[in-house]
Structure formats: structure tokens, C-alpha cells
Amino acid sequence: MWFIENIDRIIEFIKSIFNSIVEIAMGQIGKAGAFIEKALAKTVPILLSFIAKWLKLDGIGKAIKNIIKKVRKPIDKVVNKIIKFIAGKVKKLFGKGKKGKKDKSKDGLTAEDRKKHKTYVNEIIKELSKPANIKKTPTYEAFHKDIKNRGKTLESKYNQKIKKKVRGKPVKTKITIPELSKNKKDNDVDFKISIAPNTALGGSAAPFTGGSEGYPDGMDVTARTIDDLWKDIYPKNTIPNEKDPKKRAQTAKKELKNKHQALGADQLKRLNEILKFFKGERPRKFTSVKKEDAMDSSNHTAKKHVFNAGGLVNSKYDLMMRVLRGKNSKYVNLGVNTSVAGAFKSSGAASEGIKHAIDVILTQDWENKRKKIADGTITNKIEQNVPFSAKGVKILNFDGLNKNPVADLPEYLKHPNPYKIENIPNQAVGARPLFSGDPGKVPFMTNQSLNPLTKDDSASISNVHVRIIFKSSSSNVWSINSAWPE
């Protein structure tokens, strides 16, 4: 009967014990203590009621209640010790309970700190992993330097964001980039990031693609030499295992220009002019002697070495005057004589001989010549005799080079305009004949016993002499400055 009367109080007591264990497991020790204290307070009356019922002492309840009030204080102390003991055991069994927001590890950093640091590392990776900008960093060396500078800027930026100390020392962002020689092997810039002391780590590589694109097979275009690049700019010259010859050729051409620009503005201009004709695969075409003369003010093939081309020599007589009277345009520099002068019989004969010389001097050795022309190794000119039986006239100074001082020249050769027979003065009596067999069209040129002044040596012609000049100021880099049969 007693159990039926007190069933509700007994169930409440059991529930309080179970709830206390749950609260302790969740780390809420204070709340659990209150539950246990309340449960014990309810338990004592139940026990006393049971004893009284069993001994038939129902009136004893009030007296005992007064006694309990007096001794409650020391009982409370015992209860608290019991609570702490149970809490310790439950913690070992179920763990230490949940951490609050302010819970920190030994290094003084919270979970929120670590989350932020990981975010910062990912942001830095994204920023540094951007590919090369060809306008800003046209070479790998420039790109590597740019990444290092950007890394320092980002270190400073994120150190300002963190502003936290652990054990008196600041938490720092560190970006490590290997030296140029170690990085260049795989054509990118490797980097590592750390935020210490909690050591949030990360890393990646910023790709350098040979200026703007890079070779499709991943080859480092900046490591290619000028000789390599001259071959690479033509798709027909294949590279093993490559995927896109056209793209490789375009990239090689850009790098070839980069390397010549590094040599100087003159070299870049020379290269561009060479590439204008047949993409640089062969030299430009020779058209005519007059057009070559027009390319440069110093060019004079048509003017002085081709008969009837609108220049100064139109016959053997004019060529003889040139031998005897020097090198200037009007043949009046009387103190400078030459030993030989040659001229093609026509513009057609001149073009035939010059084209053959260009083929021998330039075309047949073009890969070697174009490189030297572009990089400035050949700075001024190429002058060469090329074997060829040209159609022309060759006149020698009979007495040899500079053997005729002004005083020894016949009077008729001293005249400022000797190109017409009628302008020769009469006081040239006894003059030497102009050439062997000179018919002596005027009375004072009849002494055939004297040595003639010149000799026609056309039969010995076996070469074309060509002088090619190179100037970056010229629209075509090179031109024929002079050519004659020799």
C-alpha cells in the first residue's frame, strides 16, 4: 500500500538521477548538482515515511524534520563532494564535453583563427597562380621577379590582417619562392605559403607560357637559342611529339623578336625587315639596278657601271675617262686616278650578273647570313668577287694605279669637260694616244709610237664584283651598293 501511495515521488527521484548523469556528460556540472541536491531532498522524506510505516511510527515525521534542518549544512558539503566525484568519473567515461567559443588550444589560437588562416592561404594561392602577362613580363626572368615582388606585397597585406600574437610573438605569413635556376626547369614559378605558429600551409605554381602562349608540348621557349628559334618559326621544321606546329611557330617568332629587342633597337628592325620577305626563309628578290640605286643615296651601279642606263658612262670613251680622271661623279678629281673600271654593256647584262652573285653570296648561305645580318654580326657590308662571264667592258690604266699625276696628263684630259672630242683644247700637241689603235680624230692625237693611256681588257672578264651594304635605316636592310664586271 505504501508503494502505491508514493509511486509518483519514487518515479520523480529516478528521473532526477538519470537527468543528472546526462547533464554531467554534456559538461553542465552546476545544473547536474542542482538536480542531485533536489533529488536527495525528496528521497529523505520517502525513506523516513517508509520506516515510520514499517515501525508504525506515523507521528515521528515532524520531529525528524526539525532535526534534518539542523544538520543540513554539513550534509550539503558531503553532497557537493559526491557531485564532484561523480562528475569526474562521468567525464572520463563520456569525454570532456563541448568546447565553448572561447576555448583555445595550447598555441592560443581558436578554431575561428585557424579557419581564417586557411582562407587567407587559399586567397594567396589564387592571386599568385595567375599566368604570365606578356606585355608586363615578356621573359621568364621578368615573370619570376614579378612573382617574388607580388609575394612580398601579399605577405605584408595578410600580416596586417592577422595582427595576432602567440607567446608574445606575432603570427606571420611567409611566402617562399625558389631561386630562378631551380624554378625554370618546368617553366613555372613554384611557391609555398605558411601562416605560423599554427602552420596553415599551402602552395602551387604560377605558369609561364613563353610570353603569351608557350610551346604546345610544354617546352620552355625562353631556353631556346636564336639558332633554335630560327628553325622553330617555320611549322615544317617539326619538333618531336609536338601537338600544334603552327602555334609553336607563332610563339617562336615572338620569342625571336624578344631576344633581338634585348640586343638593341637596330637588331630588332633588321629582323623585322628580313621577316617581311618570304617570312625570312630566303632573301628578298633583286629587281633592277635602278631600283637598287634608289634604295640608298650612296648606291651607284646604274650611274657608273652600266652603259646607257641614264648614268655617266655610255661608251668605252667615258669609261677610259673614268680610269684616268678619278672616281667622282664628273671625273674631274684630277689628283685621284684608278687602275681599272668596268661596266655592263646593258641593264639586262647587269641584272643577270648581279642575280647570280646574290644567289651565291646570300641565298645559298641564307640561314647563316640572315642570323648575322639580324643580330648585327655583319654590321656594314659584304664585298666579293663571284665567278661569272658577264657581258661588259673592262678598262685598265696602262701605267698602273696612281702612276699618272696631274702634271703628266695630256692637256686634253685636264679640260673640265672632256666628254666631247670638240671640247679638247688644241694645245695638246704630242699627246699620247688614249688607247692602242686610237684613230686620232684630231690632228694632235697622231703619235701612235707613244704608249697608250689605257688598255681594253674586256677579254679577261671572269667575275662579277658585288658590294652589298647593310643598314637598319634602309627599308630593306640590305641593298646593292655597286657591281661591275671584273
Side-chain angles (χ1 to χ4, degrees), residues 296-429:
D296 194 288
S297 59
S298 66
N299 293 355
H300 60 265
T301 305
K303 188 176 183 180
K304 297 181 181 180
H305 297 288
V306 182
F307 288 169
N308 302 311
L312 297 173
V313 290
N314 297 297
S315 66
K316 279 187 181 182
Y317 181 80
D318 295 337
L319 207 56
M320 290 170 184
M321 291 299 104
R322 183 156 191 265
V323 167
L324 295 170
R325 300 202 61 167
K327 297 179 181 179
N328 81 340
S329 61
K330 294 296 181 183
Y331 312 133
V332 293
N333 184 5
L334 300 179
V336 182
N337 300 316
T338 186
S339 61
V340 64
F344 297 100
K345 287 186 177 181
S346 66
S347 294
S351 294
E352 187 182 26
I354 293 170
K355 284 179 181 178
H356 174 73
I358 290 173
D359 182 57
V360 172
I361 297 171
L362 294 181
T363 307
Q364 294 179 18
D365 189 32
W366 183 236
E367 288 188 8
N368 179 46
K369 287 292 194 316
R370 72 182 173 191
K371 176 179 178 293
K372 291 182 177 180
I373 293 168
D375 67 19
T377 302
I378 298 175
T379 58
N380 187 19
K381 66 181 180 180
I382 295 175
E383 193 159 2
Q384 188 173 325
N385 273 342
V386 178
F388 188 73
S389 298
K391 297 173 184 177
V393 177
K394 178 182 175 184
I395 301 297
L396 299 178
N397 181 328
F398 196 90
D399 295 325
L401 181 62
N402 294 331
K403 294 293 181 65
N404 298 117
V406 176
D408 292 343
L409 288 175
E411 287 296 326
Y412 75 91
L413 291 178
K414 295 179 183 180
H415 193 276
N417 188 16
Y419 305 123
K420 293 184 178 180
I421 295 295
E422 57 266 29
N423 290 333
I424 297 175
N426 292 329
Q427 58 266 43
V429 178

Side-chain angles (χ1 to χ4, degrees), residues 15 34 49 59 62 92 113 126 136 147 159 175-176 184 199 207 241 262 297 312 319 432 434 476-477:
K15 280 183 179 180
S49 175
K62 290 182 180 179
K92 287 182 180 179
D113 291 331
K126 185 177 180 181
K136 186 178 178 182
I147 291 291
N159 283 337
I175 300 172
T176 306
K184 197 173 181 179
T199 58
N241 303 318
S297 59
L312 297 173
L319 207 56
R432 290 165 63 183
L434 188 58
N476 297 297
V477 181

Side-chain angles (χ1 to χ4, degrees), residues 150-161:
R150 282 159 56 193
K152 289 179 181 178
T153 302
L154 290 168
E155 278 183 356
S156 177
K157 175 183 174 180
Y158 283 92
N159 283 337
Q160 288 293 320
K161 279 189 173 186

Side-chain angles (χ1 to χ4, degrees), residues 421 433-435 437-448:
I421 295 295
L434 188 58
F435 53 91
D438 184 350
K441 290 185 179 180
V442 290
F444 52 80
M445 292 175 61
T446 57
N447 191 351
Q448 295 292 330

Side-chain angles (χ1 to χ4, degrees), residues 210-282:
S212 60
E213 297 153 358
Y215 282 6
D217 64 346
M219 187 183 294
D220 180 4
V221 65
T222 62
R224 303 289 279 171
T225 65
I226 287 179
D227 284 332
D228 293 332
L229 292 168
W230 270 116
K231 295 175 183 176
D232 295 348
I233 64 172
Y234 304 115
K236 65 181 182 181
N237 298 330
T238 58
I239 293 175
N241 303 318
E242 72 174 341
K243 301 173 183 177
D244 191 341
K246 283 188 177 180
K247 189 173 181 181
R248 176 258 303 164
Q250 291 169 357
T251 306
K253 187 176 179 180
K254 289 178 183 177
E255 181 61 21
L256 188 64
K257 289 187 176 184
N258 288 339
K259 281 184 164 53
H260 281 78
Q261 186 174 26
L263 293 175
D266 182 67
Q267 283 85 345
L268 180 60
K269 181 171 176 57
R270 285 174 173 235
L271 173 69
N272 286 332
E273 291 301 322
I274 289 171
L275 292 173
K276 271 177 27 178
F277 302 96
F278 310 108
K279 298 181 180 179
E281 286 193 275
R282 58 184 186 275

Side-chain angles (χ1 to χ4, degrees), residues 119-239:
T119 300
Y120 293 160
V121 168
N122 291 334
E123 288 175 358
I124 295 170
I125 290 173
K126 185 177 180 181
E127 180 62 29
L128 287 180
S129 296
K130 293 177 180 177
N133 181 334
I134 182 61
K135 292 181 180 178
K136 186 178 178 182
T137 55
T139 65
Y140 180 87
E141 288 76 11
F143 181 58
H144 184 271
K145 185 177 180 181
D146 180 62
I147 291 291
K148 289 188 80 172
N149 291 338
R150 282 159 56 193
K152 289 179 181 178
T153 302
L154 290 168
E155 278 183 356
S156 177
K157 175 183 174 180
Y158 283 92
N159 283 337
Q160 288 293 320
K161 279 189 173 186
I162 295 169
K163 285 185 178 178
K164 198 171 187 74
K165 289 186 177 181
V166 173
R167 302 185 193 94
K169 294 182 179 180
V171 177
K172 283 192 175 182
T173 304
K174 177 76 174 175
I175 300 172
T176 306
I177 299 169
E179 291 305 311
L180 181 68
S181 58
K182 294 180 180 179
N183 246 323
K184 197 173 181 179
K185 293 177 182 177
D186 52 1
N187 205 40
D188 59 23
V189 178
D190 298 317
F191 57 86
K192 292 181 180 179
I193 307 157
S194 69
I195 297 179
N198 89 307
T199 58
L201 300 175
S204 187
F208 180 75
T209 52
S212 60
E213 297 153 358
Y215 282 6
D217 64 346
M219 187 183 294
D220 180 4
V221 65
T222 62
R224 303 289 279 171
T225 65
I226 287 179
D227 284 332
D228 293 332
L229 292 168
W230 270 116
K231 295 175 183 176
D232 295 348
I233 64 172
Y234 304 115
K236 65 181 182 181
N237 298 330
T238 58
I239 293 175

